[in-house]
Amino acid sequence: MAEAEGFEIFIKYLPNSVTEASLKEYFEHCGPIQGNARLLKDSQTGMPKGVGWVTFSTEDGCRQGLTMAGKPFGSSGRHLEITAAKATMKAT
């Protein structure tokens, strides 16, 4: 039998000033987060490309994270688009 290892959301329209730490902090109130937030970065400049992922420990945390869709991110005023990315499975 497999059990869920984490519940991931995909976030779009992040500002270029976002950091992994600020993204994790933004979603921490939704529920426990596994590891760090992750950002897609330009391979040449290292700058964020406006998308990222956060993995929650619980399905409820993921659901709460999804409710943040359409809300502004910090002082940037950018409204985020958030979708469910995947449920990571591990064999037991």
Coordinates of all heavy atoms in Angstrom, one line a residue:
M1 N 0.8 -1.2 0.0 CA 0.0 0.0 0.0 C 0.9 1.2 0.0 O 1.9 1.3 0.7 CB -0.9 0.0 1.2 CG -1.7 1.2 1.4 SD -3.4 0.7 1.6 CE -4.1 2.3 1.7
A2 N 0.5 2.3 -0.7 CA 1.2 3.5 -0.8 C 0.5 4.6 0.1 O -0.7 4.6 0.2 CB 1.3 4.0 -2.2
E3 N 1.3 5.4 0.7 CA 0.8 6.5 1.4 C 1.3 7.8 0.9 O 2.4 7.9 0.3 CB 1.1 6.4 2.9 CG 2.5 6.6 3.3 CD 2.8 6.4 4.8 OE1 2.5 5.4 5.3 OE2 3.4 7.4 5.3
A4 N 0.5 8.9 1.1 CA 0.9 10.2 0.6 C 2.2 10.7 1.4 O 2.2 10.6 2.6 CB -0.2 11.2 0.7
E5 N 3.1 11.2 0.6 CA 4.3 11.7 1.3 C 4.2 13.3 1.3 O 4.9 13.9 2.2 CB 5.5 11.4 0.4 CG 6.9 11.7 1.1 CD 8.0 11.2 0.2 OE1 8.3 10.0 0.4 OE2 8.5 11.9 -0.6
G6 N 3.4 13.9 0.5 CA 3.2 15.3 0.5 C 2.2 15.7 -0.5 O 1.9 15.0 -1.4
F7 N 1.7 16.9 -0.4 CA 0.7 17.5 -1.3 C 1.3 18.8 -1.8 O 1.4 19.8 -1.0 CB -0.6 17.6 -0.5 CG -1.1 16.3 0.0 CD1 -0.7 15.9 1.3 CD2 -1.9 15.5 -0.7 CE1 -1.2 14.7 1.8 CE2 -2.4 14.3 -0.2 CZ -2.0 13.9 1.0
E8 N 1.5 18.9 -3.1 CA 2.2 20.0 -3.7 C 1.3 21.0 -4.4 O 0.3 20.5 -5.1 CB 3.2 19.4 -4.6 CG 4.2 20.4 -5.2 CD 5.3 19.7 -5.9 OE1 5.1 19.3 -7.1 OE2 6.4 19.6 -5.3
I9 N 1.6 22.2 -4.3 CA 0.9 23.3 -5.1 C 1.9 23.9 -6.1 O 3.1 24.0 -5.8 CB 0.2 24.3 -4.3 CG1 1.2 25.1 -3.4 CG2 -1.0 23.7 -3.5 CD1 0.6 26.2 -2.6
F10 N 1.4 24.4 -7.2 CA 2.1 25.1 -8.2 C 1.7 26.5 -8.2 O 0.5 26.8 -8.3 CB 1.9 24.4 -9.6 CG 2.6 25.1 -10.7 CD1 4.0 25.2 -10.8 CD2 1.9 25.7 -11.7 CE1 4.6 25.8 -11.9 CE2 2.5 26.4 -12.8 CZ 3.9 26.4 -12.8
I11 N 2.6 27.4 -8.1 CA 2.3 28.9 -8.0 C 2.8 29.6 -9.2 O 4.0 29.5 -9.5 CB 2.9 29.4 -6.7 CG1 2.4 28.6 -5.5 CG2 2.5 30.9 -6.5 CD1 3.5 28.0 -4.7
K12 N 2.0 30.4 -9.8 CA 2.4 31.3 -11.0 C 2.2 32.8 -10.6 O 1.5 33.1 -9.7 CB 1.5 31.0 -12.2 CG 1.8 29.6 -12.8 CD 0.9 29.2 -13.9 CE 0.5 30.2 -14.9 NZ -0.3 29.7 -16.0
Y13 N 2.9 33.6 -11.4 CA 2.8 35.1 -11.3 C 3.5 35.6 -10.0 O 3.2 36.6 -9.5 CB 1.4 35.6 -11.4 CG 0.7 35.1 -12.6 CD1 -0.5 34.4 -12.5 CD2 1.3 35.3 -13.9 CE1 -1.1 33.9 -13.7 CE2 0.6 34.8 -15.0 CZ -0.6 34.1 -14.9 OH -1.2 33.6 -16.0
L14 N 4.6 34.9 -9.6 CA 5.4 35.4 -8.5 C 6.3 36.6 -9.0 O 6.7 36.6 -10.1 CB 6.3 34.3 -7.9 CG 5.6 33.2 -7.2 CD1 6.4 31.9 -7.1 CD2 5.1 33.7 -5.8
P15 N 6.5 37.5 -8.1 CA 7.4 38.7 -8.5 C 8.9 38.2 -8.6 O 9.3 37.2 -8.0 CB 7.2 39.7 -7.4 CG 6.8 38.9 -6.2 CD 6.0 37.7 -6.8
N16 N 9.7 38.9 -9.4 CA 11.1 38.6 -9.5 C 11.9 38.7 -8.2 O 12.9 38.1 -8.1 CB 11.8 39.5 -10.6 CG 11.3 39.2 -12.0 OD1 10.7 38.1 -12.2 ND2 11.4 40.1 -12.9
S17 N 11.3 39.4 -7.3 CA 12.0 39.6 -6.0 C 11.8 38.5 -5.0 O 12.3 38.5 -3.9 CB 11.5 40.9 -5.4 OG 10.1 40.9 -5.1
V18 N 10.9 37.5 -5.4 CA 10.6 36.4 -4.4 C 11.8 35.6 -4.1 O 12.7 35.4 -4.9 CB 9.5 35.5 -5.0 CG1 10.0 34.7 -6.2 CG2 8.9 34.6 -4.0
T19 N 11.9 35.1 -2.9 CA 12.9 34.1 -2.4 C 12.2 32.9 -1.9 O 11.0 32.9 -1.7 CB 13.7 34.7 -1.3 OG1 12.9 34.9 -0.1 CG2 14.4 36.0 -1.7
E20 N 12.9 31.8 -1.8 CA 12.4 30.5 -1.3 C 11.8 30.8 0.1 O 10.7 30.3 0.5 CB 13.4 29.4 -1.3 CG 13.7 28.8 -2.6 CD 14.9 29.6 -3.3 OE1 15.3 30.6 -2.9 OE2 15.3 29.0 -4.4
A21 N 12.6 31.5 0.9 CA 12.1 31.8 2.3 C 10.8 32.6 2.3 O 9.9 32.3 3.1 CB 13.3 32.5 3.0
S22 N 10.7 33.7 1.5 CA 9.5 34.5 1.5 C 8.3 33.7 1.0 O 7.2 33.9 1.5 CB 9.7 35.8 0.7 OG 9.9 35.6 -0.6
L23 N 8.5 32.8 0.1 CA 7.4 32.0 -0.5 C 6.9 31.1 0.6 O 5.7 30.9 0.9 CB 7.8 31.3 -1.7 CG 6.7 30.5 -2.4 CD1 5.6 31.4 -2.9 CD2 7.3 29.8 -3.7
K24 N 7.9 30.4 1.3 CA 7.5 29.5 2.4 C 6.7 30.2 3.5 O 5.7 29.8 4.0 CB 8.7 28.8 2.9 CG 8.4 27.8 4.0 CD 9.6 27.0 4.4 CE 9.3 26.0 5.5 NZ 10.5 25.2 5.9
E25 N 7.3 31.4 3.9 CA 6.6 32.2 4.9 C 5.2 32.6 4.5 O 4.3 32.6 5.4 CB 7.5 33.4 5.2 CG 6.9 34.3 6.3 CD 7.8 35.5 6.5 OE1 9.1 35.4 6.4 OE2 7.3 36.6 6.8
Y26 N 5.0 32.9 3.3 CA 3.7 33.3 2.8 C 2.6 32.2 3.0 O 1.5 32.5 3.3 CB 3.8 33.7 1.3 CG 2.5 34.2 0.7 CD1 2.0 35.5 1.0 CD2 1.7 33.4 -0.1 CE1 0.9 36.0 0.4 CE2 0.5 33.9 -0.7 CZ 0.1 35.2 -0.4 OH -1.1 35.6 -1.0
F27 N 3.0 30.9 2.9 CA 2.1 29.8 2.9 C 2.1 29.1 4.3 O 1.3 28.2 4.5 CB 2.4 28.8 1.8 CG 1.9 29.3 0.5 CD1 2.8 29.9 -0.4 CD2 0.6 29.2 0.1 CE1 2.3 30.3 -1.6 CE2 0.1 29.6 -1.1 CZ 1.0 30.2 -2.0
E28 N 3.0 29.4 5.2 CA 3.1 28.7 6.5 C 1.8 28.7 7.3 O 1.6 27.7 8.0 CB 4.2 29.3 7.3 CG 5.6 28.8 6.9 CD 6.7 29.3 7.7 OE1 6.6 30.5 8.3 OE2 7.8 28.6 7.8
H29 N 1.0 29.7 7.2 CA -0.2 29.7 8.0 C -1.2 28.7 7.5 O -2.2 28.3 8.2 CB -0.9 31.1 8.0 CG -1.5 31.4 6.7 ND1 -0.8 31.9 5.6 CD2 -2.8 31.4 6.4 CE1 -1.7 32.1 4.6 NE2 -2.9 31.8 5.1
C30 N -1.0 28.1 6.3 CA -2.0 27.2 5.7 C -1.8 25.8 6.3 O -2.8 25.0 6.4 CB -1.7 27.1 4.2 SG -2.1 28.6 3.3
G31 N -0.6 25.4 6.7 CA -0.3 24.1 7.3 C 1.1 23.8 7.2 O 1.9 24.5 6.6
P32 N 1.5 22.7 7.8 CA 2.9 22.3 7.8 C 3.5 22.1 6.4 O 2.8 21.4 5.6 CB 3.0 21.0 8.6 CG 1.6 20.5 8.8 CD 0.7 21.7 8.5
I33 N 4.7 22.6 6.2 CA 5.3 22.5 4.8 C 6.5 21.6 4.9 O 7.3 21.7 5.9 CB 5.7 23.9 4.4 CG1 4.5 24.8 4.1 CG2 6.6 23.8 3.1 CD1 4.8 26.3 3.8
Q34 N 6.6 20.7 4.0 CA 7.8 19.8 3.9 C 8.9 20.5 3.2 O 8.8 21.0 2.1 CB 7.4 18.5 3.1 CG 6.4 17.7 3.9 CD 6.2 16.4 3.1 OE1 6.6 16.2 2.0 NE2 5.4 15.5 3.7
G35 N 10.1 20.6 3.8 CA 11.3 21.1 3.2 C 11.1 22.6 2.9 O 10.3 23.3 3.5
N36 N 11.8 23.1 1.8 CA 11.7 24.5 1.4 C 10.8 24.6 0.2 O 10.6 23.7 -0.5 CB 13.1 24.9 1.1 CG 14.1 25.0 2.3 OD1 13.7 25.4 3.4 ND2 15.3 24.5 2.1
A37 N 10.4 25.9 0.1 CA 9.7 26.2 -1.2 C 10.7 26.1 -2.3 O 11.9 26.3 -2.1 CB 9.1 27.6 -1.1
R38 N 10.3 25.9 -3.5 CA 11.2 25.8 -4.6 C 10.7 26.8 -5.7 O 9.6 27.0 -6.0 CB 11.2 24.4 -5.2 CG 11.8 23.4 -4.2 CD 11.5 22.0 -4.4 NE 10.1 21.6 -4.9 CZ 9.1 21.5 -4.1 NH1 9.1 21.8 -2.8 NH2 7.9 21.1 -4.6
L39 N 11.7 27.4 -6.4 CA 11.5 28.3 -7.4 C 12.1 27.9 -8.7 O 13.2 27.3 -8.7 CB 12.1 29.7 -7.1 CG 11.5 30.4 -5.8 CD1 12.3 31.6 -5.5 CD2 10.0 30.8 -6.1
L40 N 11.5 28.1 -9.9 CA 12.1 27.9 -11.2 C 13.0 29.2 -11.4 O 12.5 30.3 -11.3 CB 11.1 27.8 -12.2 CG 11.6 27.6 -13.7 CD1 12.4 26.3 -13.7 CD2 10.4 27.5 -14.6
K41 N 14.3 28.9 -11.7 CA 15.2 30.1 -11.9 C 15.8 30.0 -13.3 O 16.0 28.9 -13.8 CB 16.3 30.1 -10.8 CG 15.7 30.3 -9.4 CD 16.8 30.4 -8.4 CE 16.2 30.7 -7.0 NZ 17.3 30.8 -6.0
D42 N 16.1 31.2 -13.8 CA 16.9 31.3 -15.0 C 18.3 30.7 -14.9 O 19.0 31.0 -13.9 CB 17.0 32.8 -15.4 CG 17.6 32.9 -16.8 OD1 18.9 32.8 -16.9 OD2 16.9 33.3 -17.8
S43 N 18.6 29.8 -15.7 CA 19.9 29.1 -15.6 C 21.1 30.0 -15.8 O 22.2 29.7 -15.2 CB 20.0 27.9 -16.6 OG 20.0 28.4 -17.9
Q44 N 21.0 31.1 -16.4 CA 22.1 32.0 -16.7 C 22.2 33.1 -15.6 O 23.3 33.4 -15.2 CB 22.0 32.6 -18.0 CG 22.2 31.6 -19.1 CD 22.2 32.2 -20.5 OE1 22.0 33.4 -20.7 NE2 22.4 31.4 -21.5
T45 N 21.1 33.6 -15.2 CA 21.1 34.8 -14.2 C 20.8 34.3 -12.8 O 21.1 35.1 -11.9 CB 20.0 35.8 -14.6 OG1 18.7 35.3 -14.4 CG2 20.3 36.3 -16.0
G46 N 20.2 33.2 -12.6 CA 19.8 32.7 -11.3 C 18.6 33.5 -10.7 O 18.2 33.2 -9.6
M47 N 17.9 34.3 -11.5 CA 16.8 35.1 -11.1 C 15.5 34.2 -11.2 O 15.4 33.4 -12.2 CB 16.6 36.3 -12.0 CG 17.7 37.3 -11.8 SD 17.8 38.0 -10.1 CE 16.2 38.9 -10.0
P48 N 14.6 34.4 -10.3 CA 13.3 33.6 -10.4 C 12.6 33.9 -11.6 O 12.6 35.1 -12.1 CB 12.5 34.1 -9.1 CG 13.5 34.6 -8.2 CD 14.6 35.2 -9.1
K49 N 11.9 32.9 -12.2 CA 11.1 33.1 -13.4 C 9.6 33.2 -13.2 O 8.8 33.1 -14.1 CB 11.4 31.9 -14.4 CG 12.8 31.9 -14.9 CD 13.1 30.7 -15.7 CE 13.1 31.1 -17.2 NZ 13.4 30.0 -18.1
G50 N 9.2 33.4 -11.9 CA 7.8 33.7 -11.7 C 6.9 32.5 -11.3 O 5.7 32.7 -11.1
V51 N 7.6 31.3 -11.2 CA 6.8 30.2 -10.8 C 7.5 29.4 -9.7 O 8.7 29.5 -9.5 CB 6.5 29.2 -11.9 CG1 5.7 29.9 -13.0 CG2 7.8 28.6 -12.5
G52 N 6.7 28.7 -8.9 CA 7.3 27.9 -7.8 C 6.4 26.8 -7.3 O 5.3 26.7 -7.7
W53 N 6.9 26.1 -6.3 CA 6.2 25.0 -5.7 C 6.3 25.0 -4.2 O 7.4 25.3 -3.7 CB 6.7 23.6 -6.2 CG 6.6 23.4 -7.7 CD1 5.6 22.8 -8.4 CD2 7.5 23.9 -8.7 NE1 5.8 22.8 -9.7 CE2 7.0 23.5 -10.0 CE3 8.7 24.6 -8.7 CZ2 7.6 23.8 -11.2 CZ3 9.3 24.9 -9.9 CH2 8.8 24.5 -11.1
V54 N 5.3 24.6 -3.5 CA 5.3 24.4 -2.1 C 4.7 23.0 -1.8 O 3.6 22.7 -2.4 CB 4.5 25.5 -1.3 CG1 4.4 25.2 0.1 CG2 5.2 26.8 -1.5
T55 N 5.3 22.2 -1.0 CA 4.8 20.9 -0.6 C 4.3 20.9 0.8 O 5.1 21.1 1.7 CB 5.8 19.8 -0.8 OG1 6.3 19.8 -2.2 CG2 5.2 18.4 -0.6
F56 N 3.0 20.6 1.0 CA 2.5 20.5 2.3 C 2.5 19.1 2.9 O 2.4 18.1 2.1 CB 1.0 21.0 2.3 CG 0.9 22.5 2.1 CD1 0.7 22.9 0.8 CD2 1.0 23.4 3.1 CE1 0.6 24.3 0.5 CE2 0.9 24.8 2.8 CZ 0.7 25.2 1.6
S57 N 2.6 18.9 4.2 CA 2.6 17.6 4.8 C 1.2 17.0 4.8 O 1.1 15.8 4.8 CB 3.1 17.7 6.2 OG 4.4 18.2 6.2
T58 N 0.2 17.8 4.8 CA -1.2 17.3 4.9 C -2.1 17.8 3.7 O -1.8 18.8 3.1 CB -1.9 17.8 6.2 OG1 -2.0 19.2 6.1 CG2 -1.1 17.4 7.4
E59 N -3.1 17.0 3.4 CA -4.0 17.4 2.4 C -4.8 18.7 2.8 O -5.1 19.5 1.9 CB -5.0 16.2 2.1 CG -5.9 16.4 0.9 CD -6.7 15.2 0.6 OE1 -6.6 14.2 1.2 OE2 -7.5 15.3 -0.3
D60 N -5.1 18.8 4.1 CA -5.8 20.0 4.5 C -4.9 21.3 4.3 O -5.4 22.3 3.9 CB -6.1 19.9 6.0 CG -7.0 21.1 6.5 OD1 -8.1 21.3 5.9 OD2 -6.6 21.7 7.4
G61 N -3.6 21.2 4.6 CA -2.7 22.3 4.3 C -2.7 22.7 2.8 O -2.7 23.8 2.5
C62 N -2.7 21.6 2.0 CA -2.7 21.9 0.5 C -4.0 22.6 0.1 O -4.0 23.6 -0.6 CB -2.6 20.5 -0.2 SG -2.5 20.7 -2.0
R63 N -5.1 22.1 0.7 CA -6.4 22.8 0.4 C -6.4 24.2 0.8 O -6.9 25.1 0.1 CB -7.6 22.1 1.1 CG -8.1 20.9 0.4 CD -9.4 20.4 1.0 NE -9.5 19.0 0.8 CZ -9.5 18.1 1.8 NH1 -9.3 18.4 3.0 NH2 -9.6 16.8 1.5
Q64 N -5.8 24.5 2.0 CA -5.7 25.9 2.5 C -4.8 26.7 1.6 O -5.1 27.9 1.3 CB -5.2 25.9 3.9 CG -6.2 25.4 4.9 CD -7.4 26.2 5.0 OE1 -7.4 27.4 5.0 NE2 -8.5 25.5 5.1
G65 N -3.7 26.1 1.1 CA -2.9 26.8 0.2 C -3.6 27.2 -1.1 O -3.4 28.3 -1.7
L66 N -4.4 26.3 -1.6 CA -5.2 26.5 -2.8 C -6.1 27.7 -2.7 O -6.4 28.4 -3.6 CB -6.0 25.3 -3.3 CG -5.1 24.1 -3.8 CD1 -5.9 22.9 -3.9 CD2 -4.4 24.5 -5.1
T67 N -6.6 28.0 -1.4 CA -7.5 29.1 -1.2 C -6.8 30.5 -1.4 O -7.4 31.5 -1.4 CB -8.2 29.1 0.2 OG1 -7.2 29.3 1.2 CG2 -8.9 27.8 0.4
M68 N -5.5 30.5 -1.5 CA -4.7 31.7 -1.6 C -4.7 32.2 -3.1 O -4.2 33.3 -3.4 CB -3.3 31.5 -1.1 CG -3.2 31.1 0.4 SD -3.9 32.3 1.5 CE -2.6 33.6 1.4
A69 N -5.2 31.4 -4.0 CA -5.3 31.8 -5.4 C -6.1 33.1 -5.5 O -7.1 33.3 -4.9 CB -6.0 30.7 -6.2
G70 N -5.5 34.0 -6.3 CA -6.1 35.3 -6.5 C -5.8 36.4 -5.5 O -6.2 37.5 -5.7
K71 N -5.1 36.0 -4.5 CA -4.7 36.9 -3.4 C -3.4 37.6 -3.7 O -2.5 36.9 -4.4 CB -4.7 36.2 -2.1 CG -6.1 35.7 -1.7 CD -6.2 35.4 -0.3 CE -7.6 35.1 -0.1 NZ -8.1 34.3 0.9
P72 N -3.2 38.8 -3.3 CA -1.9 39.4 -3.6 C -0.7 38.8 -2.8 O -0.9 38.4 -1.7 CB -2.1 40.9 -3.2 CG -3.2 40.9 -2.3 CD -4.1 39.7 -2.6
F73 N 0.5 38.8 -3.4 CA 1.7 38.3 -2.8 C 2.4 39.5 -2.2 O 3.0 40.3 -3.0 CB 2.5 37.5 -3.8 CG 3.8 37.0 -3.2 CD1 3.7 35.8 -2.4 CD2 5.0 37.6 -3.3 CE1 4.8 35.2 -1.9 CE2 6.1 37.1 -2.7 CZ 6.0 35.9 -2.0
G74 N 2.4 39.6 -0.9 CA 3.2 40.7 -0.2 C 2.9 42.0 -0.8 O 1.8 42.4 -1.2
S75 N 4.0 42.9 -0.8 CA 3.8 44.3 -1.2 C 3.9 44.4 -2.7 O 3.6 45.5 -3.3 CB 4.9 45.1 -0.6 OG 6.2 44.7 -1.0
S76 N 4.1 43.3 -3.4 CA 4.2 43.4 -4.9 C 2.9 43.6 -5.5 O 2.8 44.2 -6.6 CB 4.8 42.1 -5.5 OG 3.8 41.0 -5.4
G77 N 1.8 43.2 -4.8 CA 0.5 43.4 -5.4 C 0.1 42.4 -6.4 O -1.0 42.4 -7.0
R78 N 1.0 41.5 -6.8 CA 0.7 40.5 -7.8 C -0.2 39.5 -7.3 O 0.0 38.9 -6.2 CB 2.0 39.9 -8.3 CG 2.9 40.9 -9.1 CD 4.1 40.2 -9.6 NE 3.8 40.0 -11.1 CZ 4.6 39.5 -11.9 NH1 5.8 39.0 -11.5 NH2 4.3 39.3 -13.2
H79 N -1.2 39.2 -8.1 CA -2.2 38.1 -7.6 C -1.8 36.8 -8.2 O -1.5 36.6 -9.4 CB -3.6 38.5 -8.2 CG -4.1 39.7 -7.5 ND1 -5.0 39.7 -6.5 CD2 -3.9 41.0 -7.7 CE1 -5.3 40.9 -6.1 NE2 -4.6 41.8 -6.8
L80 N -1.7 35.8 -7.3 CA -1.1 34.5 -7.6 C -2.2 33.6 -8.2 O -3.4 33.7 -7.9 CB -0.6 33.8 -6.4 CG 0.5 34.6 -5.6 CD1 0.9 33.8 -4.4 CD2 1.7 34.9 -6.5
E81 N -1.7 32.7 -9.1 CA -2.5 31.6 -9.6 C -1.9 30.4 -9.0 O -0.7 30.1 -9.1 CB -2.5 31.6 -11.1 CG -3.3 30.4 -11.7 CD -3.3 30.4 -13.2 OE1 -3.4 31.5 -13.8 OE2 -3.2 29.3 -13.8
I82 N -2.8 29.6 -8.3 CA -2.3 28.4 -7.6 C -3.2 27.2 -8.0 O -4.4 27.3 -8.0 CB -2.4 28.6 -6.1 CG1 -1.6 29.9 -5.7 CG2 -1.9 27.4 -5.3 CD1 -1.9 30.4 -4.3
T83 N -2.5 26.1 -8.3 CA -3.2 24.9 -8.7 C -2.5 23.7 -7.9 O -1.3 23.8 -7.5 CB -3.1 24.6 -10.2 OG1 -1.7 24.6 -10.6 CG2 -3.9 25.7 -11.0
A84 N -3.2 22.6 -7.8 CA -2.7 21.4 -7.2 C -1.6 20.9 -8.2 O -1.9 20.8 -9.4 CB -3.7 20.4 -6.9
A85 N -0.5 20.5 -7.7 CA 0.6 20.0 -8.6 C 0.6 18.5 -8.6 O 0.5 17.9 -9.7 CB 1.9 20.5 -8.2
K86 N 0.6 17.9 -7.4 CA 0.7 16.4 -7.4 C 0.6 16.0 -5.9 O 0.8 16.8 -5.0 CB 2.0 15.9 -8.0 CG 3.2 16.2 -7.2 CD 4.4 15.6 -7.7 CE 5.6 16.0 -6.8 NZ 6.8 15.3 -7.1
A87 N 0.3 14.7 -5.7 CA 0.5 14.1 -4.4 C 1.6 13.1 -4.6 O 1.5 12.2 -5.4 CB -0.8 13.4 -4.0
T88 N 2.7 13.3 -3.9 CA 3.8 12.4 -3.9 C 3.5 11.2 -3.1 O 3.0 11.2 -2.0 CB 5.1 13.1 -3.4 OG1 5.3 14.3 -4.0 CG2 6.3 12.2 -3.5
M89 N 3.8 10.0 -3.7 CA 3.4 8.7 -3.1 C 4.7 8.0 -2.7 O 5.7 8.1 -3.4 CB 2.6 7.9 -4.0 CG 1.3 8.5 -4.5 SD 0.2 9.0 -3.1 CE -0.5 7.4 -2.7
K90 N 4.6 7.2 -1.6 CA 5.8 6.4 -1.3 C 5.2 5.0 -0.8 O 4.2 5.0 -0.2 CB 6.6 7.1 -0.2 CG 6.5 6.6 1.2 CD 7.5 7.3 2.1 CE 7.0 7.1 3.5 NZ 7.8 7.7 4.5
A91 N 5.9 4.0 -1.2 CA 5.4 2.6 -0.8 C 5.7 2.4 0.6 O 6.6 2.9 1.2 CB 6.2 1.6 -1.7
T92 N 4.7 1.6 1.3 CA 4.9 1.3 2.7 C 5.1 -0.2 2.9 O 4.9 -1.0 2.0 CB 3.7 1.7 3.5 OG1 2.5 1.1 2.9 CG2 3.5 3.2 3.5

